[in-house]
Amino acid sequence: MLLKDVKNIKEVVLTGNDLSLEELVAVSRYDAKIKVDPDAIDRIKASRALIDDIVDNERVVYGVTTGFGSLCRVSISKEDCSQLQENLIRTHSCGYGNPLSREVTRAAMLIRANALVKGYSGIRLETLNVLVDMINKGVHPYIPEKGSLGASGDLAPLAHMVLPMLGLGDAEYQGKLMSGKEAMDRAGIPTIRLVAKEGLALINGTPILTAMGTFALWDGMLLLKQSDIAAALTMEANRGIIDAFDERLHTIRPHRGQLDTAYNIRSLLKNSTYVTHQGELKVQDPYSLRCVPQIHGASKDALGFVKEKVDIEINSATDNPIVLPDGAVISGGNFHGEPMALPFDFLGIGLSEIANVSERRLERTINNSLSGFPSFLVAHPGLNSGFMITQYAAAALVSENKVLAHPASVDSIPSCENQEDLVSMGAAAARKAGEICFNVRRVIATEILAACQAIDLRAGEGFKLGDGTQAAYDTVRKTNAFIAYDKDIEMFKELEKITDVVKRGDILEAVEDKADLKFF
């Protein structure tokens, strides 16, 4: 699906089974509305009726008529079941750090709502509707980013998500942070009192770590497409050899990402006269140009694996216990974050490699001994530094990514009196992937800016850009003019502008109108 098509999604119907990544982004980033599939209502009510029966008959069921975690041995009276759920939210809301972004918060709420729609959680329809109304009316709970072990899911941050539903905590509404009660009142959403099982149904599961990782994935997918664009521009700036992207070469090593990347470069460079063939100017290019299909392609395959896992997770019931239609209530481990922790660690590794190779192409373009351009793409090197320090800054981000790419999922600290004795650290894996993605964006943006500067230095040589790269170049020049050749400027301002262009996807949208790009 093209980026512009995602932005045009206006409503998403939650069935619990077929929420797509694109729909999640449309709701979370572009404020598409949601509604519960009418066919799901009977399932939700039937599941709730089973919980009511358990409470009425005082059956011993974990989290309904018992305490939580290692306190499962403590029985809770029928009269205290509701207080148990509110206590759960109050005590578990002990997260720390900066708040989750607006879009990640909305994604987490959406993922939780979609899980509840499946009808395995025993929640009341009216409670689910409050969560839906909060998404549609823009009440966003203040959720600290740290505090989840990814063990019984994201207990601490999800508790913060629930607080405003009870008239507690804090929330953002219409751009202002206020008390949860005030935000709900202003939006016209009634607060609620939880009943048996509902608190557990709302906070037991993986929505927070999945939401963080899903946006790292989505933005990473956009960056991978834009990394192909950056590489194509650098190819033209350096008069690279197009033969290395010949389809015949890649069909005999047919990894999907490799094939897609070679296709993308050919599509972007169609009709370009900047590119050369073997033997015209040189025999072969360095790896950072010649091996773009293999390097970018490997990262695409990594992200493809992660996407498969995300597609499953955002349509799964991850709370505990699970209420089955036949009346069975099973206390299991669907809340455990391990199935997503490993993929999100892999996501961080896959994204890191894209910045690694982008920084190498940047260096090749601004280094006089490698490119033939004036040192650092500027006149009077020595008096002027031009693009010199852009490579330093990119190298710093690349190096930081190498630290962040160390897997979180290999660690575990037992919790809850050793009842939860191996935890996933999935939230840390997802958060690190997001930080890596943030760094990668700046590196790719820097490469694009330098490539366009180098292309302009060839003005007058009579060459023509490719169909796709011309669209990319034109988009860059709408915000970033050619950087003065003979006088240094405040470079960070140009870098901020081009980074914003990459973040918004302006270049990608322009290119998608002119060239076919493959990658999901």
Side-chain angles (χ1 to χ4, degrees):
M1 183 179 289
L2 300 180
L3 182 57
K4 64 181 179 181
D5 295 329
V6 175
K7 293 180 179 180
N8 286 330
I9 296 173
K10 301 304 180 186
E11 183 179 76
V12 175
V13 178
L14 301 184
T15 69
N17 301 310
D18 53 14
L19 177 66
S20 70
L21 176 58
E22 292 80 5
E23 289 173 328
L24 182 146
V25 172
V27 172
S28 305
R29 179 169 286 176
Y30 303 116
D31 294 341
K33 304 300 183 184
I34 65 171
K35 69 176 183 180
V36 175
D37 180 12
D39 292 340
I41 293 175
D42 287 342
R43 297 197 304 269
I44 296 165
K45 290 182 176 180
S47 179
R48 181 64 218 175
L50 292 171
I51 293 297
D52 288 338
D53 182 69
I54 289 168
V55 174
D56 289 342
N57 290 285
E58 300 187 81
R59 290 169 49 197
V60 178
V61 174
Y62 171 77
V64 181
T65 55
T66 75
F68 308 109
S70 63
L71 299 177
C72 61
R73 59 185 178 272
V74 179
S75 295
I76 305 298
S77 69
K78 176 179 178 179
E79 291 73 24
D80 288 336
C81 281
S82 182
Q83 187 63 49
L84 172 71
Q85 302 300 312
E86 182 171 325
N87 289 349
L88 176 72
I89 304 305
R90 289 178 180 272
T91 61
H92 284 47
S93 53
C94 52
Y96 175 69
N98 295 324
L100 295 177
S101 68
R102 178 184 187 275
E103 60 192 22
V104 169
T105 299
R106 288 176 62 80
M109 297 165 74
L110 174 62
I111 293 167
R112 178 82 299 177
N114 196 50
L116 298 173
V117 167
K118 294 178 76 70
Y120 296 115
S121 302
I123 201 165
R124 292 174 298 167
L125 180 61
E126 50 265 44
T127 301
L128 171 59
N129 284 338
V130 168
L131 188 59
V132 170
D133 285 344
M134 289 171 70
I135 295 170
N136 285 337
K137 295 183 178 182
V139 175
H140 307 123
Y142 184 98
I143 305 175
E145 64 181 353
K146 299 182 181 182
S148 171
L149 292 175
S152 288
D154 300 308
L155 293 172
L158 282 174
H160 284 274
M161 182 193 79
V162 179
L163 284 172
M165 300 175 71
L166 311 183
L168 304 171
D170 295 315
E172 177 268 321
Y173 179 65
Q174 295 183 341
K176 295 182 180 179
L177 184 66
M178 59 193 73
S179 73
K181 180 66 166 61
E182 182 181 359
M184 296 291 276
D185 287 345
R186 288 193 180 189
I189 306 172
T191 57
I192 58 172
R193 180 171 173 79
L194 299 173
V195 297
K197 176 65 167 68
E198 289 193 311
L200 203 57
L202 287 163
I203 74 167
N204 215 204
T206 62
I208 299 292
L209 71 89
T210 302
M212 288 192 292
T214 296
F215 264 103
L217 169 65
W218 175 257
D219 287 338
M221 290 168 63
L222 299 184
L223 285 176
L224 274 169
K225 285 187 176 181
Q226 292 181 91
S227 71
D228 288 351
I229 297 169
L233 286 165
T234 300
M235 278 277 294
E236 291 182 305
N238 289 278
R239 304 219 61 204
I241 300 171
I242 193 66
D243 303 71
F245 303 90
D246 191 309
E247 184 178 18
R248 295 170 297 177
L249 174 67
H250 300 284
T251 55
I252 59 176
R253 195 193 191 193
H255 293 288
R256 177 182 171 181
Q258 179 176 333
L259 287 166
D260 286 353
T261 303
Y263 177 91
N264 288 352
I265 299 296
R266 293 196 305 272
S267 180
L268 288 160
L269 295 177
K270 184 179 179 182
N271 295 320
S272 172
T273 58
Y274 277 89
V275 294
T276 62
H277 291 280
Q278 291 176 176
E280 287 184 356
L281 296 179
K282 48 194 170 181
V283 175
Q284 62 177 211
D285 282 324
Y287 284 5
S288 59
L289 293 178
R290 178 164 35 117
C291 299
V292 165
Q294 293 81 4
I295 298 169
H296 288 196
S299 289
K300 287 175 183 173
D301 287 341
L303 268 65
F305 166 75
V306 178
K307 183 178 182 299
E308 289 179 6
K309 296 302 181 182
V310 165
D311 287 341
I312 293 170
E313 193 73 359
I314 63 177
N315 289 290
S316 295
T318 61
D319 60 301
N320 182 60
I322 293 297
V323 183
L324 298 175
D326 63 6
V329 181
I330 300 176
S331 182
N334 276 7
F335 49 66
H336 205 286
E338 195 77 1
M340 301 310 300
L342 271 68
F344 289 149
D345 275 333
F346 195 18
L347 172 62
I349 293 170
L351 290 174
S352 294
E353 196 69 354
I354 292 302
N356 289 353
V357 70
S358 179
E359 182 275 331
R360 289 293 81 199
R361 292 192 296 262
L362 169 65
E363 163 66 8
R364 181 157 294 277
T365 301
I366 69 174
N367 185 328
N368 167 261
S369 65
L370 298 175
S371 69
F373 290 117
S375 292
F376 313 119
L377 307 180
V378 69
H380 313 303
L383 174 63
N384 296 315
S385 295
F387 276 75
M388 177 195 289
I389 305 302
T390 66
Q391 183 268 332
Y392 285 47
L397 296 173
V398 165
S399 185
E400 180 179 317
N401 283 349
K402 294 172 185 176
V403 176
L404 291 170
H406 179 84
S409 56
V410 297
D411 186 35
S412 176
I413 297 179
S415 58
C416 204
E417 296 182 333
N418 225 41
Q419 177 76 353
E420 298 164 5
D421 52 358
L422 192 139
V423 303
S424 75
M425 300 298 182
R431 192 171 65 252
K432 290 194 305 92
E435 188 66 20
I436 289 170
C437 188
F438 177 79
N439 291 342
V440 172
R441 182 181 296 121
R442 182 55 156 246
V443 178
I444 291 174
T446 306
E447 181 191 355
I448 289 172
L449 188 63
C452 289
Q453 179 83 356
I455 287 167
D456 279 340
L457 292 181
R458 291 195 182 277
E461 295 182 21
F463 298 118
K464 179 181 182 298
L465 291 171
D467 294 350
T469 48
Q470 183 68 61
Y473 172 88
D474 291 343
T475 304
V476 171
R477 288 295 178 240
K478 288 178 181 177
T479 54
N480 293 80
F482 174 72
I483 294 173
Y485 183 49
D486 58 354
K487 183 179 180 181
D488 276 345
I489 63 168
E490 295 173 278
M491 185 64 78
F492 82 94
K493 293 181 178 179
E494 296 301 317
L495 291 172
E496 286 296 307
K497 287 190 288 186
I498 189 62
T499 303
D500 286 343
V501 168
V502 171
K503 181 178 181 180
R504 291 194 304 267
D506 295 354
I507 295 172
L508 181 57
E509 285 195 74
V511 169
E512 286 180 331
D513 283 338
K514 299 295 183 180
D516 181 31
L517 298 182
K518 292 184 177 181
F519 182 38
F520 301 104

